[in-house]
Amino acid sequence: MMRWAERRPWVWSFLAAGLVWALTSASVGGQGAFASLAVALEFATFAVIVGLGQMLVITAGPGNIDLSIPGVMTLAAYLATGLAKGTDGGLAAGLAAGLAVGLAAGLFNLLLIQGLAIPPMVGTLAAGFIFQSMAIAYSRHSHAKPAPALVGFVNAHLLGLPLVTLVFVGVSALVAQMLRRTVFGRSLLAIGQNRRAARLAGLAVGATVGLVYVLAGLCSALAGILLAANSGGAALNMGSDYLLSSIAVVVLGGTAIAGGQAVPAGLWGAAALLDLIVTMLNVLHVGAGLRYVVTGLIIIAVLALARGRAP
Amino acid sequence: MNPQPAEAFARLEGVAKSFGAVRALAGVDLAVPPGRMLGLVGHNGAGKSTLMQILAGALAPDRGSIRIAGRDETRGWDVRRAHGLGVRCVFQELSLCPNLTVAENARIMHPALSGWGWRRRARALMRAALDALFPGHGIDPDRQVGSLPVGQRQMVETARAFSETDTAVRLVILDEPTSSLDAAAAANLLAYTERARARGIACVFISHRLHEILGHADEVVVLRDGQVASASPAAGLSEAALVERMGEVRGEEEPGATAATSRSGARRLSRPARASLGERFGIDVRAGEVVGLSGLAGHGQREFLLAAFAAAGHGGRAAHGEGAVAVHGSAAHVSGDRQNDGIFPLWSIGRNTTIGLIRRLARAGILPLRAEAALAARWREALSIRAPDIETPILSLSGGNQQKVLVARAFATEADLILFDDPLRGVDVGTKRELYHHVRAAAAAGRAFLWYTTENAELVHCDRVYVFARGVVTDQIPRAELTEERVIRASFATPADLSRHGG
């Protein structure tokens, strides 16, 4: 069992999520068990989208991280809703503007990291503040509602499960395949394990790491746009929860924090776990103070199990 | 077998160790008398390193006993206890912390270096140890270890093992201590071990350079498949006899007389002589040639290889101006520093082999996994990498076999020019022979090799040798004129010599 699990680092987060879900369902006599899972998955989807970007960045090796996620999410969400002006006719322009924010943010992070040699942890944090300030400035003129078509999409269900969830399960599977069998993915995994060796093996180190930051920017933008549609509009604090949870889902999901190994499937288990814990503690009427203690302990337990072997 | 059984400082009896299904040691007896040097030889994977890690307390044996200074120490034998009794080691994979200075590394080993002024005492300790071992080493104890070239790191590691504070050194394990030292530093170290022995310090000396073992050890123990194949005094032994005991099939004596040396192939690399530096020799490598780089370690050979790699369009910035390297065709690089510059530790043999050619293998960015696996399997076969299949994790291989994977990676790229940065350091004789053979075969098929080696014996495999001193090429020696004396003379050439010749 342990050896089987060692080759599948995502099992622990799924196991923990399943356990928490079962406990919650049992405590309410099985009532609404499936519905609570569907809700958890719907919220988990946004964490997974930013997690995918963060996972790729972390996989690029020690020191790589993207802390600009909340700023990019917020700015992209404001621009996308602002330009769409609550109409389906403006949706295309809104989406384009939102994704352009992600692209520009990725390139700006790159400029700081590769051009000015600023450590990613500081560079992306500073960039995030800039994007957040731009969002604040823009928010003074814009109170638009999201485009109805987009709202319809994020609220649609298929077979009882949210459509966005299903779409991004597919995207995660594509990312897994990309890591396994494309030049980009293979190069990324190599760079994360041993950057010097990757360079000497003739891999395009700079371009690969650059693409990773751009992809992360796009993921943050997409998450911001969809989250705004899901919650009836952009808000200035909409991204703040996602800074830590983007890192938490990556690490809980079994991705190597030192880089070189990525586990997209694990993001789902980890994101669902984080949401299901909140549900469980609500159902059990655990007080606010104790709630954080329990959440912390569960995270530590999963990590202790998953990190059985040396990092 | 043991001439002075009662007096041995360290005595291992019936020591056995297995890693999973792999039996590394199957009951080994070993006695190290004080003031003597025991040479330990064997293939990669014969169990030398495992045995030494047990002696050093880094690994616990499954069975067997450990007696030190006449007392049974089998229970509770660990690194701390070993250190307290004066057992020190110099390991092949350097054990220094690269982010600390030379002096700070001394403190890690010596708890006695604490309190006020420890830094000053640590500096003095390391300076004295380095001076005693490697006169004229030129290493500043305040330099960060990571910024030193690998040869100097090895010197620091060795000097630290012989340095003393509160506990006396009684036994020093030297695991391939000379593999990254140049000839002069290696000679210094070996001379020092003779003085240490005169003070009663025992040594265990592991080396693939058999002439060093035969020239300096008192007794030679041959390990084969985790057992002692023979133990006898070094006097009267020959390299041939040792190789035979290690269980080699002794191939016909190389080097291949096949070398074409016609210089008719396409030019693969060129660098004009830099007159402003007093350099008289340009460097020229043609298809089908094996060209050697020699000289003392750290005299610009490595930098030249990296410049050539950059000139072939692989990252970095290609240099321009006087003496710029020009490379025609593609290049692949193989480093002897496999931990830092070579392997991808999380991956299998297969992925480690194919990473260099993924771009050529891919169709529209997508890798054909089946073709990739077939290719990796073919190279594993071709270089006879000892592993059950290509899915085997690279870290489970012995050092020599890991190095074979790196050579396979370079060969698999089908690069026109292969740059060897001392790739066979710390590799056993059998593996070396196989790889020499592969190099000649690949050269005959039209590849060019630029081969930096710290081992002068390897130069006989080259069609032509360039000797570096202080970053400048001081001699160009065709194979027919190659002698060790000439290499050494050119290695120590000074700028004054150059200008006299160049005049």
Side-chain angles (χ1 to χ4, degrees):
Chain A
M1 169 67 191
M2 287 306 284
R3 189 168 297 174
W4 182 85
E6 209 168 87
R7 302 198 57 178
R8 292 163 184 78
W10 45 266
V11 293
W12 300 109
S13 60
F14 276 88
L15 224 55
L19 199 65
V20 169
W21 179 58
L23 275 174
T24 314
S25 308
S27 73
V28 292
Q31 214 178 357
F34 190 77
S36 78
L37 185 64
V39 171
L41 281 176
E42 185 178 342
F43 282 110
T45 307
F46 302 108
V48 168
I49 300 173
V50 291
L52 279 170
Q54 190 70 280
M55 176 189 75
L56 294 177
V57 170
I58 286 176
T59 300
N64 284 301
I65 197 151
D66 184 357
L67 301 183
S68 67
I69 287 175
V72 179
M73 282 176 77
T74 316
L75 183 59
Y78 268 103
L79 277 181
T81 44
L83 285 178
K85 298 193 183 74
T87 64
D88 287 347
L91 180 57
L95 280 179
L99 292 177
V101 167
L103 183 70
L107 291 173
F108 186 65
N109 281 335
L110 262 190
L111 172 76
L112 298 181
I113 295 163
Q114 291 186 350
L116 303 178
I118 298 173
M121 192 178 284
V122 183
T124 57
L125 188 65
F129 286 138
I130 296 175
F131 304 137
Q132 185 72 31
S133 303
M134 289 163 77
I136 292 170
Y138 186 83
S139 69
R140 297 199 184 108
H141 317 287
S142 168
H143 302 281
K145 292 267 171 247
L150 199 57
V151 175
F153 169 71
V154 294
N155 290 325
H157 282 67
L158 190 68
L159 307 170
L161 286 171
L163 186 59
V164 241
T165 304
L166 296 175
V167 168
F168 280 93
V169 166
V171 172
S172 309
L174 278 179
V175 171
Q177 286 306 309
M178 177 194 80
L179 287 165
R180 214 164 83 85
R181 54 186 308 166
T182 67
V183 173
F184 165 68
R186 210 54 91 69
S187 302
L188 176 62
L189 295 176
I191 291 163
Q193 291 176 64
N194 190 338
R195 205 177 173 111
R196 287 168 58 114
R199 208 178 284 285
L200 289 173
L203 301 180
V205 174
T208 304
V209 175
L211 184 53
V212 155
Y213 277 94
V214 170
L215 286 176
L218 288 173
C219 285
S220 303
L222 198 56
I225 297 167
L226 294 175
L227 188 60
N230 181 266
S231 47
L236 283 174
N237 64 349
M238 62 188 286
S240 55
D241 282 349
Y242 287 91
L243 180 58
L244 281 181
S245 65
S246 75
I247 300 168
V249 294
V250 171
V251 180
L252 279 174
T255 290
I257 192 77
Q261 190 194 25
V263 189
L267 298 174
W268 286 99
L273 171 66
L274 291 178
D275 279 317
L276 286 167
I277 290 175
V278 176
T279 315
M280 176 178 77
L281 299 178
N282 278 331
V283 167
L284 299 178
H285 303 294
V286 177
L290 200 55
R291 203 172 284 181
Y292 285 115
V293 176
V294 175
T295 308
L297 287 177
I298 293 177
I299 292 177
I300 291 169
V302 175
L303 285 182
L305 275 171
R307 307 276 148 188
R309 65 196 181 105
Chain B
M1 296 258 269
N2 304 311
Q4 301 129 307
E7 296 168 29
F9 169 70
R11 175 183 295 281
L12 304 179
E13 270 170 9
V15 165
K17 179 80 190 173
S18 297
F19 298 100
V22 182
R23 197 178 59 174
L25 292 175
V28 170
D29 297 342
L30 194 76
V32 195
R36 313 269 288 175
M37 178 141 86
L38 196 74
L40 191 60
V41 297
H43 267 302
N44 280 332
K48 303 183 300 288
S49 291
T50 307
L51 186 62
M52 289 306 103
Q53 292 198 6
I54 288 173
L55 181 54
L59 271 179
D62 298 336
R63 277 187 292 114
S65 69
I66 300 165
R67 292 182 75 80
I68 303 291
R71 283 175 41 136
D72 188 356
E73 297 278 355
T74 314
R75 287 168 142 279
W77 183 243
D78 60 13
V79 174
R80 185 185 294 243
R81 179 83 185 135
H83 198 254
L85 291 176
V87 177
R88 305 286 181 80
C89 11
V90 177
F91 279 126
Q92 195 178 337
E93 306 306 344
L94 303 163
S95 60
L96 302 169
C97 300
N99 56 330
L100 301 181
T101 67
V102 173
E104 287 163 350
N105 268 287
R107 181 177 180 175
I108 291 178
M109 196 176 81
H110 293 291
L113 289 174
S114 59
W116 278 105
W118 70 265
R119 211 171 267 280
R120 182 177 41 76
R121 281 179 283 134
R123 263 197 292 267
L125 181 76
M126 286 309 291
R127 197 173 285 132
L130 280 164
D131 286 345
L133 268 150
F134 306 104
H137 52 83
I139 301 171
D140 177 358
D142 287 325
R143 272 281 289 277
Q144 220 181 30
V145 165
S147 70
L148 297 171
V150 66
Q152 294 196 344
R153 288 204 299 260
Q154 182 77 52
M155 290 185 192
V156 172
E157 164 114 1
T158 312
R160 186 175 70 155
F162 280 103
S163 66
E164 287 181 335
T165 48
D166 47 351
T167 51
V169 176
R170 301 290 310 276
L171 166 67
V172 179
I173 300 166
L174 298 155
D175 188 351
E176 291 286 346
T178 57
S179 62
S180 42
L181 297 180
D182 59 55
N188 279 335
L189 166 60
L190 290 169
Y192 183 82
T193 63
E194 312 232 336
R195 300 202 292 279
R197 273 180 270 169
R199 293 191 322 226
I201 297 177
C203 297
V204 179
F205 179 33
I206 299 179
S207 178
H208 289 305
R209 300 181 180 175
L210 299 182
H211 61 97
E212 288 180 347
I213 296 268
L214 290 173
H216 295 271
D218 300 299
E219 194 193 1
V220 182
V221 171
V222 180
L223 279 188
R224 187 155 113 196
D225 301 330
Q227 285 173 308
V228 175
S230 87
S232 48
L237 274 179
S238 68
E239 282 196 36
L242 273 187
V243 168
E244 198 172 305
R245 289 177 194 193
M246 283 160 65
E248 309 267 354
V249 185
R250 195 163 166 76
E252 72 276 33
E253 202 42 60
E254 293 166 78
T258 51
T261 55
S262 60
R263 290 229 209 173
S264 57
R267 173 170 286 161
R268 289 297 178 214
L269 175 145
S270 59
R271 184 179 78 174
R274 294 161 299 175
S276 64
L277 299 174
E279 193 173 55
R280 293 185 301 136
F281 305 99
I283 295 179
D284 182 47
V285 183
R286 302 199 171 240
E289 282 189 322
V290 181
V291 171
L293 300 181
S294 184
L296 302 180
H299 279 240
Q301 300 94 333
R302 223 158 240 154
E303 291 72 11
F304 177 65
L305 290 177
L306 291 176
F309 192 63
H314 294 293
R317 196 161 296 142
H320 294 287
E322 193 205 9
V325 193
V327 172
H328 311 278
S330 53
H333 185 283
V334 183
S335 170
D337 189 357
R338 55 181 168 270
Q339 304 298 335
N340 287 320
D341 293 349
I343 60 167
F344 297 107
L346 302 176
W347 274 356
S348 64
I349 297 173
R351 280 195 170 190
N352 265 287
T353 304
T354 54
I355 184 68
L357 81 162
I358 50 172
R359 250 185 295 184
R360 215 166 42 77
L361 210 55
R363 295 276 166 271
I366 311 275
L367 289 167
L369 294 184
R370 202 166 296 170
E372 185 198 0
L375 201 76
R378 216 173 68 225
W379 281 108
R380 186 186 71 82
E381 192 83 12
L383 294 189
S384 44
I385 294 162
R386 284 175 199 96
D389 57 44
I390 58 162
E391 296 303 321
T392 310
I394 188 149
L395 286 187
S396 69
L397 299 187
S398 68
N401 277 304
Q402 287 182 13
Q403 201 63 46
K404 276 190 190 173
V405 174
L406 298 187
V407 172
R409 181 194 294 168
F411 279 9
T413 60
E414 295 181 5
D416 302 310
L417 173 65
I418 295 189
L419 305 165
F420 272 175
D421 182 356
D422 205 11
L424 302 186
R425 110 183 151 88
V427 171
D428 69 287
V429 186
T431 306
K432 274 184 179 164
R433 284 241 176 88
E434 287 175 36
L435 287 172
Y436 296 151
H437 173 76
H438 289 302
V439 167
R440 283 259 61 114
R447 292 217 181 164
F449 286 85
L450 192 54
W451 185 355
Y452 166 48
T453 172
T454 50
E455 232 169 302
N456 288 346
E458 276 182 351
L459 295 173
V460 299
H461 300 282
C462 302
D463 297 315
R464 189 164 60 259
V465 173
Y466 295 99
V467 184
F468 278 62
R470 296 162 214 274
V472 168
V473 178
T474 51
D475 202 357
Q476 169 186 318
I477 313 175
R479 182 212 293 263
E481 298 166 24
L482 182 72
T483 61
E484 186 138 25
E485 287 69 39
R486 186 160 162 190
V487 171
I488 290 172
R489 203 168 345 115
S491 304
F492 287 97
T494 63
D497 296 335
L498 286 173
S499 57
R500 205 175 317 135
H501 287 295

